[in-house]
Amino acid sequence: MSSPTNGANPYKPLEIRAARVIVTSPGRNFVTLKIETSEGIYGIGDATLNGRELSVVSYLEDHVIPVLIGRDARRIEDIWQYLYRGAYWRRGPVTMRAIAAVDVALWDIKAKALGVPLYDLLGGKSRDGVLVYGHANGGDLNETVEAVGRYIEAGYKAIRAQSGVPGLKLAYGVGRGDLYYEPADATLPTETVWSTPKYLDFLPGLFEKLRSTYGFEPHLLHDAHHRLTPIEAAQLGKMLEPSRLFWLEDATPAENQDAFKLIRQHTTTPLAVGEVFNTIWDAKDLIQNQLIDYIRMSIVGSGGITHLRRVADFASLYQVRTGCHGATDLSPVTMGAAVHFDSWVPNFGMQEYMRHSPETDEVFPHDYRFENGLMFAGDTPGHGVDIDEKLAAKYPYKPKQLPVARLEDGTMWNW
Ligand code: EZ4
Ligand code: CO
């Protein structure tokens, strides 16, 4: 019988010999950490922070890589705690992405050393394929209804619908093409205009039309991108109730977790939030008070698998399910790791899936695959995603920032 360890003895220390950061822009910017060990096994982790990429590069190169060299790569938990507690300055998007990159690379290494796919290391599969939602976008109501139809035809069982709003130019989160969407669009931020009244006048009608056209079988989702106050979000949730959304995402910002109490008191539309959260503390009250139904934290945004697993277990006590963020700024490395995580996590809800461009997919060869509305993890040891460094070098970094919104009277939007 051939050894399941690919020749490497899993009980020997896997000393971290080198680590480096790879920045590449195959259509959009990605930051990737590669860790190499004494046994010749390497692992990779995603560290991309959309619009603020180079701050994570510096965090890793200047402050993290020097303390990794010589450590035993098998000690994932201890390295996580060392980086989190040892830094003194805890939490935050930069810190937690840097820790996530290390963590995911180490899980990749351990799974490769043991010769098993990551899902097996986590506890094995709870399901064969994971439910994903795709992104249908349109400039207006009819275009969006047609776009949803194309996703249904393509086999999607769950679709997020975002539409241009009459009277508003450049609504956030509405892709300009059919397949690919990237909000970070310019070296200096594009300025857009936002009007909640116009949006609230329009949106319930879009979902009524989607339900009257396609019925209630496809799951429909919508993202409000934190644009509403709690009472506006409550109104929207109430108006959308007849359309029975799978979830309404980011209805209002959640720095004040109590804000969701007000929404919850008024509507039974399921609520999802968390793509900008970094640690369990950002979600603790929301989960404990059952103010949300889905927690949107991602592996890259939340300190890696080691921490997201803790969040998911805590959430399971309160019947809150996972709904990992999966936009294009989450690289194929995060997507691959997420599909393994989702295959295992008992309280799985749904996984966001925004297709990467062919250039991105070429730079990051991977073995996850989409079929009939589900995503399947591959069976190769590790998380199943690699980076073609030669190809990556052909796409130099280009600064790109996310747009900024103002209200119609010029006031900076920011609730
Ligand atoms: O705007 O990831 O649910 N997905 C989203 C994304 C975010 C981007 C920001 O970088 O809201 O499209
Ligand atoms: Co979102």
Side-chain angles (χ1 to χ4, degrees):
M1 213 175 84
S2 72
S3 155
T5 59
N6 293 342
N9 181 346
Y11 299 104
K12 261 202 305 207
L14 285 161
E15 191 192 314
I16 297 176
R17 286 279 164 82
R20 63 180 179 281
V21 181
I22 302 152
V23 181
T24 181
S25 190
R28 68 166 337 289
N29 294 313
F30 293 109
V31 176
T32 309
L33 177 69
K34 183 166 185 173
I35 298 180
E36 291 168 348
T37 67
S38 48
E39 298 298 302
I41 297 170
Y42 67 87
I44 60 173
D46 178 22
T48 308
L49 177 56
N50 203 3
R52 297 289 184 273
E53 294 84 4
L54 300 185
S55 51
V56 192
V57 175
S58 160
Y59 195 105
L60 283 167
E61 287 181 343
D62 298 329
H63 310 293
V64 172
I65 290 175
V67 307
L68 288 180
I69 307 302
R71 283 179 198 278
D72 183 352
R74 298 177 306 173
R75 300 195 175 193
I76 300 176
E77 184 68 49
D78 184 63
I79 290 175
W80 195 96
Q81 300 295 343
Y82 182 93
L83 293 175
Y84 181 78
R85 298 173 196 222
Y88 188 82
W89 311 106
R90 299 182 182 192
R91 309 169 65 180
V94 176
T95 299
M96 298 311 286
R97 269 174 177 74
I99 296 176
V102 174
D103 187 73
V104 171
L106 295 181
W107 279 98
D108 192 27
I109 288 168
K110 189 186 282 284
K112 285 175 175 170
L114 295 170
V116 296
L118 178 59
Y119 62 74
D120 263 337
L121 211 48
L122 293 171
K125 283 186 182 177
S126 301
R127 58 199 62 77
D128 287 327
V130 306
L131 183 62
V132 296
Y133 68 93
H135 287 259
N137 301 293
D140 60 21
L141 189 142
N142 288 330
E143 267 182 42
T144 307
V145 172
E146 281 168 25
V148 168
R150 285 195 291 278
Y151 273 81
I152 293 171
E153 276 164 33
Y156 284 82
K157 299 176 195 302
I159 300 141
R160 187 184 101 171
Q162 304 293 135
S163 173
V165 174
L168 288 184
K169 270 199 281 180
L170 303 176
Y172 183 81
V174 181
R176 322 282 177 242
D178 210 21
L179 291 180
Y180 310 108
Y181 159 68
E182 173 49 53
D185 59 358
T187 310
L188 294 176
T190 307
E191 291 205 10
T192 62
V193 176
W194 177 253
S195 159
T196 296
K198 287 183 174 141
Y199 171 74
L200 292 184
D201 277 348
F202 170 76
L203 202 77
L206 169 67
F207 280 88
E208 274 165 37
K209 181 78 185 167
L210 288 170
R211 285 306 188 199
S212 65
T213 311
Y214 302 116
F216 280 79
E217 199 177 319
H219 294 304
L220 295 179
L221 303 87
H222 180 73
D223 192 344
H225 290 112
H226 310 106
R227 293 292 165 92
L228 309 173
T229 63
I231 197 67
E232 289 165 351
Q235 289 169 0
L236 179 63
K238 211 168 182 172
M239 289 190 285
L240 289 171
E241 277 172 26
S243 298
R244 299 215 303 267
L245 264 58
F246 188 90
W247 76 43
L248 171 62
E249 175 177 335
D250 292 348
T252 200
E255 283 104 317
N256 172 14
Q257 298 180 44
D258 279 348
F260 275 68
K261 281 186 187 159
L262 203 142
I263 310 174
R264 203 61 155 174
Q265 279 160 13
H266 293 285
T267 180
T268 57
T269 292
L271 302 173
V273 72
E275 66 183 46
V276 304
F277 295 178
N278 311 123
T279 76
I280 198 164
W281 297 102
D282 295 326
K284 177 182 153 287
D285 301 342
L286 289 166
I287 292 171
Q288 212 163 22
N289 297 319
Q290 296 184 304
L291 299 179
I292 56 170
D293 302 281
Y294 298 93
I295 180 69
R296 297 260 307 136
M297 291 165 71
S298 66
I299 288 172
V300 62
S302 317
I305 291 162
T306 297
H307 193 62
L308 192 65
R309 182 162 78 154
R310 213 141 271 158
V311 173
D313 281 342
F314 176 63
S316 76
L317 302 181
Y318 300 94
Q319 291 136 308
V320 174
R321 292 188 277 166
T322 64
C324 288
H325 186 208
T328 39
D329 47 308
L330 290 85
S331 92
V333 180
T334 289
M335 191 65 203
V339 178
H340 284 264
F341 182 88
D342 298 338
S343 298
W344 156 73
V345 72
N347 49 324
F348 172 72
M350 183 128 36
Q351 169 69 49
E352 179 177 14
Y353 172 46
M354 218 183 251
R355 262 175 295 214
H356 286 112
S357 68
E359 293 79 14
T360 298
D361 282 339
E362 225 188 324
V363 169
F364 296 96
H366 53 262
D367 68 354
Y368 55 83
R369 59 175 212 287
F370 175 83
E371 213 180 291
N372 286 327
L374 305 177
M375 191 67 84
F376 293 84
D379 297 320
T380 50
H383 56 47
V385 188
D386 209 339
I387 183 165
D388 181 334
E389 289 189 67
K390 267 197 196 138
L391 197 55
K394 291 187 183 156
Y395 299 102
Y397 176 72
K398 290 191 202 101
K400 285 271 167 66
Q401 296 201 37
L402 289 162
V404 169
R406 291 183 186 278
L407 303 181
E408 286 171 300
D409 71 355
T411 306
M412 193 44 214
W413 160 80
N414 188 2
W415 305 131

